Amino acid sequence: MNEKFMREAIRLSIQKMRRGQGGPFGALVVRNGRIVGRGWNQVTSANDPTAHAEVVAIREACRRLKTFQLDDCDLYTSCEPCPMCLSAIYWARLHNVFYGNTRQDAARINFDDDFIYREVALPIGKRKRKLKQLLRKEALVAFTEWEQKADKVLY
C-alpha cells in the first residue's frame, strides 16, 4: 500500500513538472487508505514561495476533512521535506511521513535547503536574515487576552 501512494506522489511530481506548473515535487495526504489531499510544487506557477507540494496537500486535506489536525493521516512526498514543509507537517500533526528523494538529491539539482537547516540552528543574531524585535509590550496584549479567552480552540 505504501508503495502505491509513493508512486502516485512521484507520478504527480513528474506530470506537473512536465506541464510547467512548478518544480519536481509531489505529495499526498492519506487517511485510512484513501487520498484526501494532493499537492504539487506551485511556487512559480502561483507566484507563492510557500506553495510547496507538502503544504498544498496539507491545505487540501484540511479543507476536505474540515480540520486543522491530521493526526490520523500519513504524508507521502516525492522528496524529503524542506524545513518549512517539515514545520507544516509538525503543525498538522501528521502521523507518518514517507519520502522518495533525499535533501541531498534535491541539492544536486539546485534545491539546496541545507542552508535553511543550518540557519535555523543558529542564534538569532548570527543568522543571514536579520530579525529585530519591536513593540513587545504592545504585542503581548494579544497573548494575555488569548491566555484568558474562555472559548479558545487549542492547537
Side-chain angles (χ1 to χ4, degrees):
M1 186 69 86
N2 292 349
E3 290 177 0
K4 171 187 152 188
F5 293 125
M6 182 57 73
R7 283 190 180 96
E8 176 60 15
I10 293 167
R11 185 198 68 74
L12 192 60
S13 74
I14 294 168
Q15 177 191 57
K16 299 301 183 175
M17 181 263 309
R18 286 178 178 166
R19 291 183 181 169
Q21 295 179 329
F25 304 95
L28 305 173
V29 175
V30 176
R31 180 186 194 201
N32 297 325
R34 199 178 108 241
I35 297 170
V36 295
R38 280 183 166 74
W40 58 91
N41 182 285
Q42 298 174 34
V43 170
T44 57
S45 59
N47 293 316
D48 180 352
T50 69
H52 289 202
E54 298 90 339
V55 171
V56 172
I58 289 168
R59 288 174 181 162
E60 182 178 300
C62 288
R63 266 193 309 274
R64 181 172 285 160
L65 298 175
K66 296 178 176 36
T67 184
F68 54 85
Q69 292 191 352
L70 302 172
D71 53 347
D72 59 347
C73 298
D74 295 328
L75 179 79
Y76 293 81
T77 179
S78 63
C79 187
E80 182 179 352
C82 74
M84 176 185 70
C85 293
L86 188 59
S87 295
I89 287 163
Y90 276 93
W91 278 113
R93 292 165 174 68
L94 283 150
H95 186 66
N96 292 303
V97 177
F98 302 94
Y99 64 92
N101 294 312
T102 66
R103 68 191 211 207
Q104 291 81 13
D105 296 329
R108 278 194 288 280
I109 60 166
N110 295 315
F111 289 96
D112 191 358
D113 304 324
D114 193 52
F115 165 74
I116 301 170
Y117 277 104
R118 288 192 315 268
E119 281 287 299
V120 169
L122 293 174
I124 288 175
K126 296 197 181 235
R127 295 180 186 165
K128 298 275 188 244
R129 301 289 178 262
K130 299 303 173 202
L131 283 78
K132 297 179 183 180
Q133 188 177 34
L134 290 174
L135 303 176
R136 181 172 182 260
K137 184 177 177 183
E138 289 87 339
L140 280 173
V141 171
F143 280 15
T144 301
E145 286 187 26
W146 173 260
E147 194 174 39
Q148 297 167 4
K149 187 172 172 50
D151 63 343
K152 65 186 164 201
V153 177
L154 297 175
Y155 58 96

